[in-house]
Amino acid sequence: MFILSMINERISNFIKLQFSDKKLFWINVGNLRSKTDNDETEDDRTKRILALNVICGTLVALALRADLISILGNLEKPYEVIGWDKPVPNQVGEWLMLILGTFLTGCFLSLGSKFWHDLLDLLFYTKNLKSKLVDERTYQQTDDIQHLQEFINTPEYKLSQIAVDTYRASLNSTPGVLSFGTGYVNKGSGKIGCLEIHVTDIDVANKIEKNFKIKLSTGANINIPSKVIVTGDYPKLNSATAGKGVSNKSGILGRGTIGAIVKDNIGDDHYILSCFHVLNGDNNWSGLSDSKEIQDENGNIIAELYFGYRTTDMDVAIAKLKTGVTYSNNLINNPTSVRQVSYDDVLQESTISILGAKTQETIKGFVYNDSWPVSFRYPDNNLWELTDLLVLTKYDKNSNSYKALTQGGDSGALVIDNKNIAIAMIVGADNSFSYAIKLDKIIKNLDISL
């Protein structure tokens, strides 16, 4: 509603500025722009502006099919009932309900974006306050009003980030700690922030403190719980010496997966998208290898390595398809759009699917974390840390543990959400989690599209 109200305001203001004291089509809109000293005239002007806002709001709602009645009936996922791509009403009663719903939307949009902005602030504050009221730390670890106020106003993820920053040096020097970052743990009916730590074995896990104390700016000392997960050794890149997929003809780095066929935003050329450690031909990560021929799982030369690099948050490459080679994205259901992943995906455990060349079947899981640093052991046996990765997993009820979704040979595979929108590209995995590079960053950096 906030976004729609902003659109409505822009349209209404345009009409007020351009058509005041003029005719809009056959309608004389009268004075909308200039205030008057006459109370009766000013009252009429105010009513005309309100009517204009309601009419514009209704037209905006109708154009986007933003039906308030349907939205209220689907509050968990309102976006599923907005838009004309949904089934069109085929009965008179359904059309009347749609018209009534869009009129009601228009009335609410006429309240203005400031109203909706303030209401959203209030709702977010109330939601945060509700979770803090059932948190024992509110009563046990805050001993004056300033401490309480800051604790209530600080989101859980920020509390977690303070813990990460406070104990970074200590955890980096702790043997057996592989990676750590912000996370969450279930607390009653909600979630609270935690310091999540991945370790090599259970002995290391048992030595990790259950709580980490942080200090807020007012001096309040707050305990942040830890969440320790045994993931085994350093994650391995999902690149294997056997299996279907794609590889550099040199064979030095093994095989991976064709993530997607992408196109250049400037020209008409098409490319294979995968990881740099899949398409590169040697262990020199500072530039392209001399070997640039890219082959499919049958050894056919299908592309030439065009561009690739490895940085602190990227391991990506593209290879230009040879003339006459035809490829499609049919196996991954032809996703045509890309989106950013947010912390909401973590809280809602958004469902995702992956089709890797090694697994050779679509594996489903969920988004576990939206920004995680991981040190990978590359084929040259050196460690390299990639940051801001998505963490993906599934929960195995039999073993009561998290399980990775991918294995060796799945590097480069695209991660697709339940709306067939691409969100990431697999780079590696350990025993518990699969890790992926955010696709919106790849698309922007390489200036390509699906």
Side-chain angles (χ1 to χ4, degrees), residues 115-162:
F115 168 82
W116 289 107
H117 181 274
D118 292 344
L119 181 61
L120 283 174
D121 278 348
L122 179 61
L123 290 174
F124 285 135
Y125 181 79
T126 303
K127 181 180 178 182
N128 192 42
L129 181 61
K130 180 182 176 182
S131 65
K132 293 295 173 65
L133 286 175
V134 296
D135 189 339
E136 61 187 22
R137 297 176 297 177
T138 302
Y139 308 96
Q140 297 176 2
Q141 298 174 37
T142 54
D143 50 15
D144 66 42
I145 190 65
Q146 287 185 323
H147 293 175
L148 177 62
Q149 188 68 36
E150 184 178 19
F151 178 59
I152 288 174
N153 289 337
T154 306
E156 290 295 328
Y157 74 89
K158 286 191 177 180
L159 294 174
S160 301
Q161 188 59 54
I162 293 172

Side-chain angles (χ1 to χ4, degrees), residues 181-192:
T182 59
Y184 66 89
V185 293
N186 294 322
K187 189 75 171 181
S189 59
K191 301 177 187 294
I192 64 171

Side-chain angles (χ1 to χ4, degrees), residues 142-411:
T142 54
D143 50 15
D144 66 42
I145 190 65
Q146 287 185 323
H147 293 175
L148 177 62
Q149 188 68 36
E150 184 178 19
F151 178 59
I152 288 174
N153 289 337
T154 306
E156 290 295 328
Y157 74 89
K158 286 191 177 180
L159 294 174
S160 301
Q161 188 59 54
I162 293 172
V164 170
D165 295 338
T166 302
Y167 293 95
R168 186 184 304 278
S170 174
L171 290 172
N172 276 331
S173 62
T174 302
V177 171
L178 300 173
S179 59
F180 55 90
T182 59
Y184 66 89
V185 293
N186 294 322
K187 189 75 171 181
S189 59
K191 301 177 187 294
I192 64 171
C194 74
L195 175 52
E196 184 168 323
I197 305 168
H198 295 180
V199 299
T200 55
D201 55 59
I202 192 64
D203 291 334
V204 178
N206 290 335
K207 296 176 182 177
I208 302 295
E209 297 290 335
K210 301 298 182 185
N211 291 284
F212 288 82
K213 185 173 290 187
I214 65 169
K215 179 172 286 189
L216 303 182
S217 61
T218 58
N221 292 309
I222 304 296
N223 284 334
I224 304 299
S226 64
K227 183 177 183 180
V228 184
I229 300 176
V230 177
T231 61
D233 201 354
Y234 284 102
K236 296 179 177 63
L237 299 168
N238 280 159
S239 177
T241 57
K244 296 180 179 180
V246 67
S247 65
N248 191 290
K249 188 178 179 181
S250 72
I252 294 175
L253 301 180
R255 297 184 185 275
T257 298
I258 298 174
I261 303 301
V262 297
K263 54 189 176 183
D264 188 343
N265 287 335
I266 299 176
D268 295 324
D269 294 323
H270 286 73
Y271 302 84
I272 289 171
L273 173 67
S274 193
C275 293
F276 191 39
H277 73 263
V278 171
L279 299 182
N280 201 29
D282 56 33
N283 286 310
N284 177 18
W285 308 108
S286 61
L288 300 182
S289 62
D290 292 333
S291 175
K292 291 183 173 58
E293 290 187 320
I294 304 301
Q295 60 187 9
D296 64 12
E297 62 272 21
N298 297 316
N300 300 313
I301 304 301
I302 56 173
E304 180 177 328
L305 181 60
Y306 182 80
F307 184 69
Y309 62 98
R310 184 185 73 172
T311 62
T312 55
D313 62 351
M314 284 284 161
D315 178 340
V316 61
I318 54 174
K320 187 176 179 180
L321 288 173
K322 292 284 189 180
T323 302
V325 174
T326 57
Y327 263 87
S328 72
N329 292 321
N330 291 341
L331 288 178
I332 55 174
N333 295 321
N334 294 299
T336 56
S337 59
V338 176
R339 73 170 178 88
Q340 285 184 317
V341 177
S342 70
Y343 192 63
D344 284 341
D345 289 290
V346 178
L347 296 179
Q348 297 168 11
E349 296 186 345
S350 296
T351 301
I352 54 90
S353 60
I354 304 165
L355 176 62
K358 184 64 174 179
T359 52
Q360 297 188 42
E361 62 177 329
T362 301
I363 304 296
K364 291 188 177 295
F366 63 89
V367 177
Y368 180 83
N369 198 296
D370 67 326
S371 183
W372 193 261
V374 182
S375 292
F376 291 95
R377 193 172 296 283
Y378 272 71
D380 57 7
N381 210 35
N382 290 320
L383 292 175
W384 183 268
E385 184 180 64
L386 294 175
T387 60
D388 196 30
L389 299 178
L390 290 188
V391 184
L392 314 165
T393 191
K394 60 183 177 181
Y395 191 75
D396 186 350
K397 293 182 179 179
N398 294 327
S399 63
N400 194 32
S401 62
Y402 297 106
K403 297 292 184 183
L405 305 174
T406 56
Q407 53 185 304
D410 290 335
S411 272

